[in-house]
Amino acid sequence: LVVNLLLGLQLVLGIPISRLSFGFAACPIVTSSVEWVMLLFVLIVYCLILGQHSGAWPKGGCAGWSLSHVTFQRIGTYLHLYVPAALSIASDFWRFSAVGSIAATLSKSDLAIFNASYRVMWICLTISGS
């Protein structure tokens, strides 16, 4: 969040150095940069410093990897976890597409009411954890 804020202020708005401002065209650059910074943070802190990955890796580290670790049982477990999660994320995208299609047909005042009620429903959904 802090990296996103700092990069966004500098690259998009030009605060504090106005010569390094690229406007809203820099938003994708900021987003991609923040994703890479978060990945590097996780790798450095949790893998290199704390060594949290060692329990999940085979003996011998990277040299210990082989195709013998890929079994039907592990693939089944992975798919059992992956498919529902992928469908859940896909349904979110489908829902947003449907809502966007409906919202495009509304007048300005109807759109404002729809947007406010949709935000309230989204907050309730987030708080309830559904």
Side-chain angles (χ1 to χ4, degrees):
L1 184 63
V2 172
V3 175
N4 193 7
L5 177 67
L6 293 176
L7 284 177
L9 283 173
Q10 179 55 63
L11 295 177
V12 177
L13 300 176
I15 299 172
I17 304 170
S18 62
R19 286 177 278 146
L20 291 177
S21 174
F22 299 102
F24 287 104
C27 287
I29 296 169
V30 170
T31 302
S32 297
S33 300
V34 169
E35 293 293 328
W36 281 103
V37 167
M38 288 187 326
L39 175 65
L40 287 174
F41 177 78
V42 167
L43 288 175
I44 290 170
V45 171
Y46 291 103
C47 293
L48 293 178
I49 296 173
L50 299 176
Q52 295 290 320
H53 68 291
S54 60
W57 283 39
K59 303 278 191 242
C62 289
W65 285 102
S66 71
L67 287 178
S68 65
H69 295 98
V70 181
T71 62
F72 285 112
Q73 180 183 4
R74 287 184 174 188
I75 292 172
T77 302
Y78 174 77
L79 289 176
H80 182 73
L81 296 170
Y82 172 77
V83 171
L87 289 175
S88 173
I89 291 171
S91 71
D92 282 343
F93 285 117
W94 298 331
R95 179 174 46 93
F96 281 118
S97 296
V99 167
S101 299
I102 293 169
T105 64
L106 300 175
S107 67
K108 286 185 179 181
S109 60
D110 290 340
L111 182 60
I113 295 168
F114 177 80
N115 189 23
S117 63
Y118 187 75
R119 294 287 178 191
V120 169
M121 294 297 288
W122 182 78
I123 290 170
C124 292
L125 182 68
T126 302
I127 291 172
S128 69
S130 298

